[in-house]
Amino acid sequence: LKLATANAKAKAVESRLESRLAEAEDNGKDLVEVEWKEKFAAFKTKATADEAILQEQLDEAKDTILSMEQNFERRLKTQLSTAKQKAAIEQAQLAAKLDEAENKLAAIDVEWRAKMSEAKTTAAATEAGLRAQLDEMEENSLAAESVAGASEAEN
C-alpha cells in the first residue's frame, strides 16, 4: 500500500511536473515570441528611421544637383551672352575694316583711272606732236626734192 501510495504520489508529482513543464514551455514560447516581436519592432523602427535619413539625404542630393544644374545653366547663358557680344563687336570691327578697305580700293581705282586718262592724253598729245613732226619732215623732204628737181632741171 505504501508502494501504491508512493507510486500514486510520484505519478501526481510527475503529472504536476509535466503540467508545469508544459506551462513553462508555453510561457517560454510566449517569452520568445514577445522577445522576437520586440526585436522585430525595434528593427522596424530602426529601418523606418534609416529610411527617413536616407530620404532626407536623397532630397538634399536632389536639391544640390538642381542647384548645380541651375548654376551651370546660368554660367553657360552668361558665357553664351559674352560670346555673342564679342562676336557682334568683332563683326562690327570687320565690317568697318571692310568698308575702309572698299573705300581705299575705290580711291585707288579713281586714282588709277585718272592716271590712265592722263597717260592716254599724254600719249595722244605725243602721238599728235610726232605726227605733226613727221608731216613737217615729209613736207620738208618733198620741198627739198622739188627744189633739187628744179635745180636739176635748170642745169
Side-chain angles (χ1 to χ4, degrees):
L1 188 62
K2 274 187 176 182
L3 185 58
T5 306
N7 277 338
K9 279 185 182 180
K11 284 204 185 241
V13 168
E14 183 182 353
S15 177
R16 273 184 283 149
L17 285 175
E18 284 179 0
S19 174
R20 280 186 179 170
L21 180 60
E23 186 180 322
E25 283 179 353
D26 287 344
N27 287 342
K29 284 180 187 176
D30 290 344
L31 287 175
V32 168
E33 187 177 331
V34 168
E35 183 181 330
W36 279 105
K37 283 183 180 180
E38 287 173 356
K39 285 183 180 180
F40 180 73
F43 284 134
K44 190 174 181 180
T45 302
K46 185 174 179 347
T48 302
D50 288 347
E51 183 181 7
I53 290 170
L54 289 173
Q55 185 62 46
E56 183 179 327
Q57 291 174 347
L58 179 63
D59 290 344
E60 286 177 11
K62 284 180 182 178
D63 290 344
T64 301
I65 290 170
L66 181 63
S67 175
M68 290 171 63
E69 184 180 294
Q70 289 170 344
N71 287 340
F72 179 75
E73 186 177 344
R74 212 174 8 262
R75 282 196 318 254
L76 191 60
K77 283 182 180 178
T78 301
Q79 290 173 350
L80 182 61
S81 175
T82 302
K84 283 182 179 179
Q85 289 173 351
K86 282 183 178 180
I89 290 169
E90 289 176 5
Q91 185 178 9
Q93 290 172 342
L94 288 174
K97 286 181 180 178
L98 180 62
D99 287 345
E100 184 180 331
E102 286 176 347
N103 290 339
K104 284 181 181 178
L105 185 59
I108 290 170
D109 186 52
V110 167
E111 183 181 343
W112 180 78
R113 289 181 188 276
K115 285 183 180 181
M116 284 299 294
S117 177
E118 182 182 329
K120 285 180 181 179
T121 302
T122 303
T126 302
E127 183 181 354
L130 289 173
R131 285 196 186 278
Q133 287 178 1
L134 183 60
D135 289 344
E136 185 181 328
M137 288 170 79
E138 284 179 351
E139 282 179 26
N140 288 341
S141 176
L142 286 177
E145 283 179 14
S146 174
V147 170
S151 277
E152 276 182 26
E154 284 183 13
N155 287 336

